[in-house]
Amino acid sequence: MRGIRSQRAWTLKQMSEAAGIPVSTLSKVEHDRLTLTYDKLQQVSQRLQLRMSDLFAEEEEEQAPQVTGRRSIGTLETAARVETENYDYHYLCTDLRKKRMIPIVTRIRARSTSEFGELVKHQGEEFIYVIEGAIEVHSEFYDPVVIKAGESIYLDSTMGHAYIAAKGYEEATVLGVCSSADEGLINSLMSLRG
């Protein structure tokens, strides 16, 4: 947040007015004493016309030299965490901007399609590898299929889909990698209700 404010040469008060977040809250966020909720992050992203991924990216060094390679090391402790009714997402390697792949460790809690709600869809493709438990994959064009720990599925994300914990499991943990040529993929993923 401080980097975004500095780029625009705004005071805390100007940032507060533009983002719709109180000055005291912004100050705490900038000093790592408070984290904004998903709804507030989405509000800031929309009001400042930024991609959601820009809010998680580390500040860029001024006049940093161009490099030919990119690298990021991600852990669950440093991941951007987003909780929804059905899933707990841990977005990994958020310091890299303009990624064409979005790695996510997800805890799946929904146990039925009625609990999950409408199927979700977004640009690109995705790969899901089950780490713990088992999931039942529902999709727009295929019969449901159960994927167990150690197994994976690759699918077209523009097809409606939902992941729920398979029968006999309270929850499941998966590694997902979503990919798209669309630079706004992270925004699409983070705004999904599911």
Side-chain angles (χ1 to χ4, degrees):
M1 295 294 271
R2 181 181 296 138
I4 293 167
R5 186 168 63 80
S6 296
Q7 287 173 353
R8 296 177 183 209
W10 285 350
T11 64
L12 267 174
K13 184 177 180 187
Q14 289 170 317
M15 179 77 158
S16 169
E17 291 168 358
I21 305 290
V23 172
S24 60
T25 301
L26 284 176
S27 178
K28 289 176 185 172
V29 169
E30 286 190 6
H31 291 92
D32 290 328
R33 291 192 307 241
L34 182 70
T35 304
L36 294 177
T37 64
Y38 173 72
D39 292 342
K40 291 295 183 189
L41 288 170
Q42 193 170 29
Q43 173 186 320
V44 170
S45 172
Q46 290 169 350
R47 290 185 68 162
L48 300 182
Q49 297 178 339
L50 295 169
R51 293 187 309 255
M52 188 78 85
S53 60
D54 291 338
L55 298 176
F56 296 113
E58 291 181 3
E59 293 181 37
E60 291 183 21
E61 296 284 324
E62 286 188 28
Q63 300 175 343
Q66 272 308 84
V67 292
T68 57
R70 298 186 341 142
R71 183 183 100 159
S72 176
I73 297 173
T75 66
L76 288 181
E77 290 76 29
T78 61
R81 185 171 179 184
V82 175
E83 294 181 24
T84 68
E85 293 176 12
N86 298 318
Y87 303 144
D88 288 342
Y89 295 106
H90 291 85
Y91 289 87
L92 302 171
C93 303
T94 56
D95 56 327
L96 289 181
R97 297 179 188 203
K98 298 183 180 180
K99 294 190 293 285
R100 295 185 76 174
M101 295 188 312
I102 309 295
I104 313 162
V105 173
T106 306
R107 184 170 61 112
I108 298 171
R109 294 188 315 269
R111 293 194 304 257
S112 70
T113 53
S114 60
E115 180 182 343
F116 184 90
E118 288 184 41
L119 300 178
V120 296
K121 51 176 85 173
H122 52 86
Q123 289 300 311
E125 300 176 324
E126 59 194 81
F127 169 81
I128 302 294
Y129 176 83
V130 179
I131 298 170
E132 293 178 347
I135 61 172
E136 190 172 286
V137 180
H138 293 261
S139 61
E140 192 173 357
F141 305 121
Y142 296 92
D143 290 335
V145 61
V146 173
I147 309 293
K148 299 176 183 175
E151 298 177 341
S152 62
I153 187 168
Y154 189 105
L155 58 83
D156 175 354
S157 305
T158 61
M159 169 180 61
H161 58 282
Y163 306 123
I164 62 172
K167 188 175 183 176
Y169 293 88
E170 290 291 313
E171 60 184 42
T173 303
V174 303
L175 169 65
V177 179
C178 297
S179 174
S180 174
D182 176 15
E183 285 187 17
L185 176 62
I186 187 74
N187 291 340
S188 298
L189 295 174
M190 294 187 86
S191 65
L192 291 175
R193 172 199 50 76

